[in-house]
Amino acid sequence: MAPDTTTWTPAGAAEPELACPISPVVDIVFSRWTTPILWTLHTHGRQRFVELERRIAKITPKVLTQRLRQLERDGLIVRTYHPEVPPRVEYEISELGRSLAPLFAHLAEWAAENLDRVEQARHDYDTEPAAR
Amino acid sequence: MAPDTTTWTPAGAAEPELACPISPVVDIVFSRWTTPILWTLHTHGRQRFVELERRIAKITPKVLTQRLRQLERDGLIVRTYHPEVPPRVEYEISELGRSLAPLFAHLAEWAAENLDRVEQARHDYDTEPAAR
DNA sequence: GTAGCCACTTTCCTATAGGTACCTACTATA
DNA sequence: TATAGTAGGTACCTATAGGAAAGTGGCTAC
């Protein structure tokens, strides 16, 4: 039997939900590699497997397949298979996936405003041996 | 030498940033256990280590320490050490951390509106053997 | 004197995500 | 004949995050 990638359980399986109502969403939307995939699909539109592979770079086909299956199962992307030769498969964002756009924009906005503050905080923390 | 938990590298170290400008934020804010910690700190205010440990439950002290250090280094929370006996340490959200509040609210809103759609999509995917 | 408290720290161990590399079937092209 | 292109599948292996459990130090309360 092949390992069932469709029932793959995200990293947050130990239920931190008890304390945090947004943990489920985080597991769905922000697990590893999902944001680059969604972002690429969003900015470049419908794409084939190899296009995604090339654009995201450093991702291996195995992992890309796993994540695409997961995103498809969660209804965030749509997979269309064309039984041609050579086979052609296209991926695109679903309507549910598109509903994440303002959220991503919000995130990008926060990043633009505050990422350097995080960098500064890290630098301060690392170059201040006295307080610890 | 003790393992240096302060320079801990989050899971997304293989740089998916190439394709996705929000990946850095995701690594900082949405790595495992950070949202429950930030959420608990936000809703219950300043707290001691044991209070966090009890509220979040299932988190081990080791991991809690690691994540608190990481969040402190990133400037999202503030740690205050009182050299008493027994020792007392208090954690609270920093201003930078508080600036995440609208983002979290946005996330909670999306969850409330769309989480059941994800559930539905999963159910559909799992109970439709024909298309695959 | 010993048990408990707090805030960790340390050691040991395991689960698993993810990487490498090779494989499929089919066709067109050189 | 051999290679390339397509969308993955599969086996093997490793790195490491994270869990369990015990320890630490200094004081207090019983």
Side-chain angles (χ1 to χ4, degrees):
Chain A
M1 182 80 80
D4 187 356
T5 59
T6 62
T7 54
W8 177 82
T9 306
E15 308 174 57
E17 295 91 72
L18 298 168
C20 179
I22 63 173
S23 281
V25 203
V26 173
D27 282 345
I28 293 168
V29 181
F30 298 110
S31 65
R32 188 138 153 73
W33 290 115
T34 59
T35 39
I37 292 173
L38 287 175
W39 188 275
T40 304
L41 242 27
H42 181 255
T43 61
H44 294 91
R46 182 174 3 171
Q47 280 162 88
R48 314 179 59 168
F49 188 88
V50 274
E51 296 180 277
L52 285 168
E53 197 178 354
R54 283 172 194 145
R55 283 216 170 87
I56 297 176
K58 305 208 106 179
I59 196 171
T60 62
K62 175 187 153 187
V63 175
L64 181 54
T65 302
Q66 287 178 343
R67 287 305 111 88
L68 287 171
R69 287 285 187 283
Q70 177 200 347
L71 289 168
E72 186 196 2
R73 188 172 102 102
D74 290 344
L76 297 179
I77 66 174
V78 176
R79 186 184 113 117
T80 314
Y81 178 79
H82 305 269
E84 310 167 356
V85 172
R88 189 162 58 91
V89 178
E90 289 181 315
Y91 297 93
E92 60 184 319
I93 299 228
S94 70
E95 204 202 308
L96 186 55
R98 237 185 299 277
S99 74
L100 286 167
L103 194 56
F104 277 40
H106 197 161
L107 214 52
E109 195 183 327
W110 190 91
E113 283 176 22
N114 299 295
L115 216 51
D116 50 351
R117 293 195 202 178
V118 174
E119 282 301 329
Q120 183 64 42
R122 284 179 176 174
H123 179 262
D124 292 352
Y125 186 98
D126 292 343
T127 59
E128 183 202 3
R132 265 166 300 275
Chain B
M1 182 79 81
D4 186 356
T5 58
T6 62
T7 53
W8 176 82
T9 304
E15 309 173 58
E17 295 90 74
L18 299 168
C20 178
I22 65 173
S23 281
V25 203
V26 172
D27 283 344
I28 292 167
V29 180
F30 298 110
S31 64
R32 188 138 153 71
W33 291 115
T34 59
T35 38
I37 292 174
L38 287 175
W39 189 275
T40 305
L41 241 28
H42 181 255
T43 61
H44 294 91
R46 183 175 7 179
Q47 280 162 88
R48 312 179 58 169
F49 189 88
V50 274
E51 296 180 277
L52 284 169
E53 198 178 353
R54 283 173 194 144
R55 283 215 171 88
I56 296 176
K58 304 207 110 186
I59 195 170
T60 62
K62 176 187 151 187
V63 174
L64 181 55
T65 303
Q66 287 179 344
R67 287 305 109 86
L68 287 171
R69 288 284 187 285
Q70 178 200 346
L71 289 169
E72 187 197 359
R73 189 172 103 101
D74 289 345
L76 297 178
I77 67 175
V78 175
R79 185 184 115 115
T80 315
Y81 177 77
H82 305 270
E84 308 167 357
V85 172
R88 190 161 59 90
V89 178
E90 289 181 315
Y91 297 92
E92 60 185 317
I93 299 227
S94 70
E95 205 203 306
L96 185 55
R98 236 185 301 277
S99 74
L100 286 167
L103 195 56
F104 277 40
H106 197 160
L107 214 52
E109 194 184 326
W110 190 91
E113 283 176 22
N114 299 295
L115 216 52
D116 50 349
R117 291 195 203 178
V118 174
E119 282 302 329
Q120 183 63 42
R122 284 179 176 174
H123 179 263
D124 292 351
Y125 186 98
D126 292 343
T127 59
E128 183 204 2
R132 265 167 301 277

Coordinates of all heavy atoms in Angstrom, one line a residue, chain B residues 4-79:
Chain B
D4 N 22.0 25.8 21.6 CA 21.6 27.2 21.7 C 20.2 27.4 21.1 O 20.0 27.5 19.9 CB 22.6 28.0 20.8 CG 22.3 29.5 21.0 OD1 21.3 29.9 21.6 OD2 23.1 30.3 20.4
T5 N 19.3 27.6 22.0 CA 17.9 27.7 21.6 C 17.6 29.1 21.1 O 16.5 29.2 20.5 CB 17.0 27.4 22.8 OG1 17.3 28.3 23.9 CG2 17.1 26.0 23.3
T6 N 18.5 30.0 21.3 CA 18.1 31.4 20.9 C 18.3 31.5 19.4 O 17.7 32.4 18.8 CB 19.0 32.4 21.6 OG1 20.4 32.2 21.3 CG2 18.8 32.3 23.1
T7 N 19.3 30.8 18.8 CA 19.5 30.9 17.4 C 18.7 29.8 16.6 O 19.1 29.4 15.5 CB 21.0 30.8 17.1 OG1 21.5 29.6 17.7 CG2 21.7 32.0 17.6
W8 N 17.7 29.3 17.3 CA 16.9 28.2 16.7 C 16.4 28.6 15.3 O 15.8 29.7 15.2 CB 15.8 27.9 17.6 CG 14.9 26.8 17.1 CD1 15.0 25.5 17.1 CD2 13.6 27.1 16.5 NE1 13.9 24.9 16.5 CE2 13.1 25.8 16.1 CE3 12.9 28.2 16.2 CZ2 11.8 25.7 15.5 CZ3 11.7 28.0 15.5 CH2 11.2 26.8 15.2
T9 N 16.6 27.8 14.4 CA 16.1 28.1 13.0 C 14.7 27.4 12.8 O 14.6 26.2 13.0 CB 17.1 27.5 12.0 OG1 18.4 28.1 12.3 CG2 16.7 27.9 10.6
P10 N 13.8 28.2 12.4 CA 12.4 27.7 12.2 C 12.4 26.7 11.0 O 13.4 26.6 10.3 CB 11.6 28.9 11.9 CG 12.5 29.9 11.4 CD 13.8 29.6 12.2
A11 N 11.3 26.0 10.9 CA 11.2 24.9 9.9 C 11.5 25.4 8.5 O 12.0 24.6 7.7 CB 9.9 24.3 10.0
G12 N 11.1 26.6 8.2 CA 11.2 27.1 6.8 C 12.6 27.6 6.4 O 12.7 28.7 5.9
A13 N 13.6 26.9 6.7 CA 14.9 27.4 6.5 C 15.4 27.2 5.1 O 16.4 27.8 4.7 CB 15.9 26.7 7.5
A14 N 14.8 26.4 4.3 CA 15.2 26.1 3.0 C 14.8 27.3 2.0 O 14.8 27.1 0.8 CB 14.7 24.8 2.5
E15 N 14.5 28.4 2.6 CA 14.2 29.6 1.8 C 13.1 29.5 0.7 O 13.5 29.5 -0.5 CB 15.5 30.1 1.1 CG 16.6 30.3 2.2 CD 17.9 30.6 1.5 OE1 17.9 31.7 0.8 OE2 18.9 29.9 1.7
P16 N 11.9 29.3 1.0 CA 10.9 29.4 0.0 C 10.6 30.8 -0.3 O 9.8 31.2 -1.1 CB 9.6 28.7 0.7 CG 10.1 28.3 2.1 CD 11.4 28.9 2.3
E17 N 11.4 31.7 0.4 CA 11.2 33.2 0.2 C 11.3 33.6 -1.3 O 10.8 34.6 -1.7 CB 12.2 34.0 1.0 CG 12.0 33.8 2.5 CD 12.9 32.7 3.0 OE1 14.1 32.8 3.1 OE2 12.3 31.6 3.3
L18 N 12.1 32.8 -2.0 CA 12.4 33.1 -3.4 C 11.1 33.4 -4.1 O 11.0 34.2 -5.0 CB 13.2 32.0 -4.0 CG 14.5 31.7 -3.4 CD1 15.1 30.4 -3.9 CD2 15.5 32.9 -3.7
A19 N 10.1 32.6 -3.8 CA 8.8 32.7 -4.5 C 7.7 33.5 -3.7 O 6.7 33.8 -4.3 CB 8.3 31.3 -4.9
C20 N 8.0 33.7 -2.4 CA 6.9 34.2 -1.6 C 7.4 35.2 -0.6 O 8.0 34.8 0.4 CB 6.3 33.0 -0.9 SG 4.9 33.4 0.2
P21 N 7.0 36.5 -0.7 CA 7.4 37.5 0.1 C 6.9 37.4 1.6 O 7.4 38.1 2.4 CB 6.9 38.8 -0.5 CG 5.8 38.3 -1.4 CD 6.1 37.0 -1.8
I22 N 5.9 36.6 1.8 CA 5.4 36.6 3.2 C 5.9 35.4 4.0 O 5.7 35.3 5.2 CB 3.9 36.6 3.2 CG1 3.3 35.3 2.6 CG2 3.3 37.8 2.6 CD1 1.8 35.2 2.8
S23 N 6.8 34.6 3.3 CA 7.3 33.4 4.1 C 8.1 33.8 5.3 O 8.0 33.2 6.3 CB 8.2 32.6 3.1 OG 7.4 31.8 2.3
P24 N 8.9 34.9 5.3 CA 9.6 35.3 6.5 C 8.7 35.5 7.7 O 8.9 35.1 8.8 CB 10.3 36.6 6.1 CG 10.4 36.5 4.6 CD 9.3 35.8 4.1
V25 N 7.6 36.2 7.4 CA 6.6 36.5 8.5 C 6.0 35.2 9.0 O 5.8 35.0 10.2 CB 5.4 37.4 8.0 CG1 4.8 38.1 9.1 CG2 5.9 38.4 6.9
V26 N 5.7 34.3 8.1 CA 5.1 33.1 8.5 C 6.0 32.3 9.4 O 5.6 31.8 10.4 CB 4.7 32.2 7.2 CG1 4.3 30.8 7.6 CG2 3.7 32.9 6.4
D27 N 7.3 32.3 9.1 CA 8.3 31.6 9.9 C 8.3 32.3 11.3 O 8.5 31.6 12.3 CB 9.7 31.7 9.3 CG 9.8 30.7 8.2 OD1 8.9 29.8 8.1 OD2 10.7 30.8 7.4
I28 N 8.2 33.5 11.4 CA 8.3 34.2 12.7 C 7.0 34.1 13.5 O 7.0 33.8 14.7 CB 8.6 35.7 12.5 CG1 10.0 35.9 11.9 CG2 8.4 36.5 13.8 CD1 10.2 37.3 11.4
V29 N 5.9 34.3 12.9 CA 4.6 34.4 13.6 C 3.9 33.0 13.7 O 3.2 32.8 14.7 CB 3.7 35.4 13.0 CG1 2.4 35.6 13.7 CG2 4.4 36.8 12.9
F30 N 4.0 32.2 12.7 CA 3.2 31.0 12.6 C 3.9 29.7 12.8 O 3.4 28.7 12.4 CB 2.3 31.0 11.4 CG 1.4 32.2 11.2 CD1 1.6 33.2 10.3 CD2 0.3 32.3 12.1 CE1 0.8 34.3 10.2 CE2 -0.5 33.4 12.0 CZ -0.3 34.4 11.1
S31 N 5.1 29.8 13.3 CA 5.7 28.5 13.6 C 5.1 27.8 14.8 O 4.4 28.4 15.6 CB 7.2 28.7 13.8 OG 7.5 29.4 15.0
R32 N 5.3 26.5 14.9 CA 4.6 25.7 15.9 C 4.6 26.3 17.3 O 5.6 26.7 17.8 CB 5.2 24.3 15.9 CG 4.4 23.3 16.6 CD 4.4 22.0 15.9 NE 4.2 20.9 16.7 CZ 3.1 20.6 17.4 NH1 2.1 21.4 17.3 NH2 3.0 19.5 18.2
W33 N 3.4 26.3 17.9 CA 3.2 26.7 19.3 C 3.3 28.2 19.5 O 2.9 28.7 20.6 CB 4.3 26.1 20.3 CG 4.1 24.6 20.5 CD1 5.0 23.6 20.1 CD2 3.0 23.9 21.1 NE1 4.5 22.4 20.4 CE2 3.3 22.5 21.0 CE3 1.8 24.3 21.7 CZ2 2.4 21.6 21.5 CZ3 0.9 23.4 22.2 CH2 1.2 22.0 22.1
T34 N 3.7 29.0 18.5 CA 3.8 30.4 18.8 C 2.4 31.1 18.8 O 2.2 31.9 19.7 CB 4.6 31.1 17.7 OG1 4.1 30.9 16.4 CG2 6.1 30.6 17.7
T35 N 1.5 30.7 18.0 CA 0.2 31.3 18.0 C -0.5 31.0 19.4 O -1.1 31.9 19.9 CB -0.7 30.9 16.8 OG1 -0.5 29.6 16.5 CG2 -0.4 31.8 15.6
P36 N -0.5 29.8 19.9 CA -1.2 29.6 21.2 C -0.5 30.4 22.3 O -1.2 31.0 23.1 CB -0.9 28.1 21.5 CG -0.8 27.5 20.2 CD -0.1 28.5 19.3
I37 N 0.8 30.6 22.2 CA 1.5 31.4 23.2 C 1.0 32.8 23.1 O 0.6 33.5 24.1 CB 3.0 31.2 23.1 CG1 3.4 29.8 23.5 CG2 3.7 32.2 24.0 CD1 4.9 29.5 23.2
L38 N 1.1 33.4 21.9 CA 0.8 34.8 21.7 C -0.7 35.0 22.1 O -1.1 36.0 22.7 CB 1.0 35.2 20.3 CG 2.5 35.3 19.9 CD1 2.6 35.7 18.4 CD2 3.1 36.5 20.7
W39 N -1.6 34.1 21.7 CA -3.0 34.2 22.0 C -3.3 34.2 23.5 O -4.0 35.1 24.0 CB -3.8 33.1 21.3 CG -5.2 33.2 21.3 CD1 -6.1 32.9 22.3 CD2 -6.0 33.8 20.3 NE1 -7.4 33.3 22.0 CE2 -7.4 33.8 20.8 CE3 -5.8 34.4 19.1 CZ2 -8.4 34.3 20.0 CZ3 -6.8 34.9 18.3 CH2 -8.1 34.8 18.8
T40 N -2.7 33.3 24.2 CA -2.9 33.2 25.6 C -2.4 34.5 26.3 O -3.0 35.0 27.2 CB -2.1 32.0 26.2 OG1 -2.5 30.8 25.5 CG2 -2.4 31.8 27.7
L41 N -1.2 34.9 25.9 CA -0.6 36.1 26.4 C -1.5 37.3 26.2 O -1.6 38.2 27.0 CB 0.8 36.3 25.9 CG 2.0 36.3 26.8 CD1 1.8 35.5 28.0 CD2 3.2 35.8 26.0
H42 N -2.1 37.3 25.0 CA -2.9 38.4 24.6 C -4.2 38.5 25.3 O -4.7 39.5 25.8 CB -3.2 38.4 23.1 CG -4.0 39.5 22.6 ND1 -5.4 39.4 22.2 CD2 -3.7 40.8 22.4 CE1 -5.8 40.5 21.8 NE2 -4.9 41.4 21.9
T43 N -4.8 37.3 25.5 CA -6.2 37.3 26.2 C -6.1 37.3 27.7 O -7.0 37.8 28.3 CB -7.0 36.1 25.7 OG1 -6.3 34.9 26.1 CG2 -7.2 36.0 24.2
H44 N -5.0 36.8 28.3 CA -4.9 36.7 29.7 C -3.9 37.7 30.3 O -3.7 37.7 31.5 CB -4.6 35.3 30.2 CG -5.7 34.3 29.9 ND1 -5.8 33.6 28.7 CD2 -6.8 34.0 30.6 CE1 -6.9 32.8 28.8 NE2 -7.5 33.0 29.9
G45 N -3.3 38.5 29.5 CA -2.3 39.5 30.0 C -1.1 38.8 30.5 O -0.8 37.7 30.2
R46 N -0.3 39.6 31.3 CA 1.0 39.2 31.8 C 0.8 37.9 32.6 O -0.1 37.8 33.4 CB 1.6 40.3 32.6 CG 2.9 40.0 33.2 CD 3.5 41.2 33.9 NE 2.4 42.3 34.0 CZ 2.6 43.5 34.5 NH1 3.8 43.8 35.1 NH2 1.6 44.3 34.6
Q47 N 1.7 37.0 32.4 CA 1.6 35.7 33.1 C 3.0 35.1 33.4 O 4.0 35.5 32.8 CB 0.9 34.7 32.2 CG -0.6 34.8 32.2 CD -1.2 34.1 31.0 OE1 -1.5 32.9 31.0 NE2 -1.3 34.8 29.9
R48 N 3.0 34.2 34.4 CA 4.2 33.5 34.7 C 4.3 32.3 33.9 O 3.4 31.8 33.2 CB 4.2 33.2 36.2 CG 3.8 34.3 37.1 CD 3.8 33.9 38.5 NE 5.1 33.4 39.0 CZ 5.3 33.2 40.2 NH1 4.4 33.5 41.2 NH2 6.5 32.8 40.6
F49 N 5.5 31.7 34.0 CA 5.8 30.5 33.2 C 4.8 29.4 33.4 O 4.2 28.8 32.5 CB 7.2 30.0 33.6 CG 7.7 28.9 32.7 CD1 8.4 29.1 31.5 CD2 7.5 27.5 33.1 CE1 8.8 28.1 30.7 CE2 8.0 26.5 32.3 CZ 8.6 26.8 31.1
V50 N 4.5 29.0 34.7 CA 3.6 27.9 35.0 C 2.2 28.2 34.6 O 1.5 27.3 34.2 CB 3.6 27.6 36.6 CG1 4.7 26.7 36.9 CG2 3.6 28.9 37.4
E51 N 1.8 29.5 34.6 CA 0.4 29.8 34.2 C 0.3 29.5 32.7 O -0.7 28.9 32.2 CB 0.1 31.3 34.4 CG 0.1 31.7 35.9 CD -0.1 33.1 36.1 OE1 0.8 34.0 36.0 OE2 -1.3 33.5 36.4
L52 N 1.3 29.9 31.9 CA 1.3 29.6 30.5 C 1.3 28.1 30.3 O 0.5 27.5 29.5 CB 2.5 30.2 29.8 CG 2.5 31.7 29.6 CD1 3.9 32.2 29.2 CD2 1.5 32.0 28.5
E53 N 2.1 27.4 31.0 CA 2.2 25.9 30.9 C 0.9 25.3 31.2 O 0.5 24.4 30.5 CB 3.3 25.5 31.9 CG 3.8 24.1 31.6 CD 4.9 23.7 32.7 OE1 5.3 24.5 33.5 OE2 5.3 22.5 32.6
R54 N 0.2 25.8 32.2 CA -1.1 25.2 32.5 C -2.2 25.5 31.5 O -3.0 24.7 31.1 CB -1.6 25.6 33.9 CG -0.8 24.9 35.0 CD -1.2 25.6 36.4 NE -0.2 25.1 37.4 CZ 0.2 25.9 38.4 NH1 -0.2 27.2 38.5 NH2 1.1 25.5 39.3
R55 N -2.2 26.7 31.0 CA -3.2 27.2 30.1 C -3.1 26.5 28.7 O -4.1 26.1 28.1 CB -3.2 28.7 29.9 CG -3.8 29.4 31.1 CD -4.5 30.7 30.6 NE -5.2 31.3 31.7 CZ -4.7 32.2 32.6 NH1 -3.5 32.5 32.5 NH2 -5.5 32.7 33.5
I56 N -1.9 26.4 28.3 CA -1.7 25.8 26.9 C -1.8 24.3 27.0 O -2.3 23.7 26.0 CB -0.3 26.3 26.4 CG1 -0.4 27.8 26.2 CG2 -0.1 25.7 25.0 CD1 0.9 28.5 25.7
A57 N -1.4 23.7 28.1 CA -1.5 22.3 28.2 C -0.9 21.5 27.1 O -0.9 21.9 26.0 CB -3.0 21.9 28.4
K58 N -0.4 20.3 27.3 CA 0.2 19.5 26.3 C 1.6 20.0 25.9 O 2.3 19.3 25.2 CB -0.7 19.3 25.1 CG -2.1 18.7 25.5 CD -2.7 17.9 24.3 CE -2.7 16.5 24.7 NZ -3.1 15.6 23.6
I59 N 1.9 21.3 26.2 CA 3.2 21.8 25.8 C 4.1 21.4 26.9 O 3.8 21.4 28.1 CB 3.2 23.3 25.6 CG1 4.5 23.7 24.9 CG2 3.1 24.0 26.9 CD1 4.5 25.1 24.4
T60 N 5.3 20.9 26.6 CA 6.3 20.6 27.6 C 7.1 21.8 27.9 O 7.3 22.7 27.1 CB 7.3 19.5 27.0 OG1 8.0 20.0 25.9 CG2 6.5 18.2 26.6
P61 N 7.7 21.8 29.2 CA 8.4 23.0 29.6 C 9.6 23.3 28.7 O 9.9 24.4 28.4 CB 8.9 22.6 31.0 CG 8.7 21.1 31.2 CD 7.5 20.8 30.3
K62 N 10.2 22.2 28.2 CA 11.3 22.5 27.3 C 10.9 23.3 26.1 O 11.6 24.3 25.7 CB 11.9 21.1 26.8 CG 13.0 21.2 25.8 CD 13.4 19.8 25.3 CE 13.9 19.9 23.9 NZ 14.1 18.5 23.4
V63 N 9.9 22.8 25.4 CA 9.4 23.5 24.2 C 8.9 24.9 24.5 O 9.2 25.8 23.8 CB 8.3 22.7 23.5 CG1 7.8 23.4 22.3 CG2 8.9 21.3 23.1
L64 N 8.2 25.0 25.6 CA 7.7 26.3 26.0 C 8.8 27.3 26.2 O 8.8 28.4 25.7 CB 6.9 26.2 27.3 CG 6.3 27.5 27.8 CD1 5.4 28.2 26.8 CD2 5.4 27.3 29.1
T65 N 9.9 26.9 26.9 CA 11.1 27.7 27.0 C 11.7 28.1 25.7 O 11.9 29.3 25.4 CB 12.2 27.0 27.8 OG1 11.6 26.6 29.1 CG2 13.4 27.9 28.1
Q66 N 11.8 27.1 24.8 CA 12.4 27.4 23.5 C 11.6 28.5 22.7 O 12.1 29.4 22.2 CB 12.4 26.1 22.6 CG 13.4 25.1 23.1 CD 13.4 23.9 22.2 OE1 12.4 23.6 21.5 NE2 14.4 23.1 22.3
R67 N 10.2 28.3 22.7 CA 9.4 29.2 22.0 C 9.4 30.6 22.6 O 9.3 31.6 21.9 CB 8.0 28.7 21.9 CG 7.8 27.6 20.9 CD 8.3 27.9 19.5 NE 9.6 27.1 19.3 CZ 9.6 25.9 18.8 NH1 8.5 25.3 18.4 NH2 10.8 25.3 18.6
L68 N 9.4 30.6 24.0 CA 9.4 31.9 24.7 C 10.7 32.7 24.3 O 10.7 33.9 24.1 CB 9.2 31.7 26.2 CG 7.8 31.3 26.6 CD1 7.8 31.0 28.1 CD2 6.8 32.5 26.4
R69 N 11.8 32.0 24.3 CA 13.1 32.6 24.0 C 13.0 33.2 22.6 O 13.5 34.3 22.3 CB 14.2 31.6 24.1 CG 14.6 31.2 25.5 CD 15.4 32.3 26.2 NE 15.9 31.8 27.5 CZ 15.1 31.7 28.5 NH1 13.8 32.0 28.5 NH2 15.6 31.2 29.7
Q70 N 12.5 32.3 21.7 CA 12.4 32.8 20.3 C 11.6 34.0 20.1 O 12.0 35.0 19.5 CB 11.8 31.6 19.5 CG 11.7 31.9 18.0 CD 10.6 31.0 17.3 OE1 10.3 30.0 17.9 NE2 10.2 31.4 16.1
L71 N 10.4 34.0 20.8 CA 9.5 35.2 20.7 C 10.1 36.4 21.4 O 9.9 37.5 20.9 CB 8.2 34.8 21.4 CG 7.3 33.8 20.6 CD1 6.2 33.3 21.5 CD2 6.8 34.5 19.4
E72 N 10.9 36.2 22.4 CA 11.6 37.3 23.1 C 12.6 37.9 22.1 O 12.7 39.1 22.0 CB 12.2 36.8 24.4 CG 12.8 38.0 25.2 CD 13.7 37.4 26.3 OE1 13.9 36.2 26.4 OE2 14.3 38.3 27.0
R73 N 13.4 37.0 21.5 CA 14.4 37.4 20.6 C 13.9 38.2 19.4 O 14.4 39.2 19.0 CB 15.2 36.2 20.1 CG 16.5 36.6 19.3 CD 17.4 35.4 19.0 NE 17.2 35.0 17.6 CZ 18.1 35.3 16.7 NH1 19.2 36.0 16.9 NH2 17.9 34.9 15.4
D74 N 12.7 37.8 19.0 CA 12.1 38.4 17.9 C 11.4 39.7 18.3 O 10.8 40.4 17.4 CB 11.1 37.5 17.2 CG 11.8 36.4 16.4 OD1 13.0 36.5 16.2 OD2 11.1 35.4 16.1
G75 N 11.4 40.0 19.6 CA 10.8 41.2 20.1 C 9.3 41.2 20.2 O 8.6 42.3 20.3
L76 N 8.7 40.0 20.1 CA 7.2 40.0 20.2 C 6.7 39.9 21.6 O 5.5 40.2 21.8 CB 6.7 38.7 19.4 CG 7.0 38.8 17.9 CD1 6.5 37.5 17.2 CD2 6.4 40.0 17.2
I77 N 7.5 39.4 22.5 CA 7.1 39.4 23.9 C 8.2 39.9 24.8 O 9.4 40.1 24.3 CB 6.8 37.9 24.4 CG1 8.0 37.1 24.4 CG2 5.7 37.3 23.6 CD1 7.8 35.7 25.0
V78 N 7.9 40.3 26.0 CA 8.9 40.8 26.9 C 8.9 39.9 28.1 O 7.9 39.5 28.7 CB 8.5 42.3 27.4 CG1 9.5 42.8 28.4 CG2 8.5 43.2 26.2
R79 N 10.2 39.6 28.5 CA 10.4 38.7 29.7 C 10.9 39.6 30.8 O 11.9 40.3 30.7 CB 11.4 37.7 29.3 CG 11.6 36.6 30.4 CD 12.7 35.6 29.9 NE 13.9 35.8 30.8 CZ 14.3 34.8 31.6 NH1 13.7 33.7 31.6 NH2 15.3 35.0 32.4

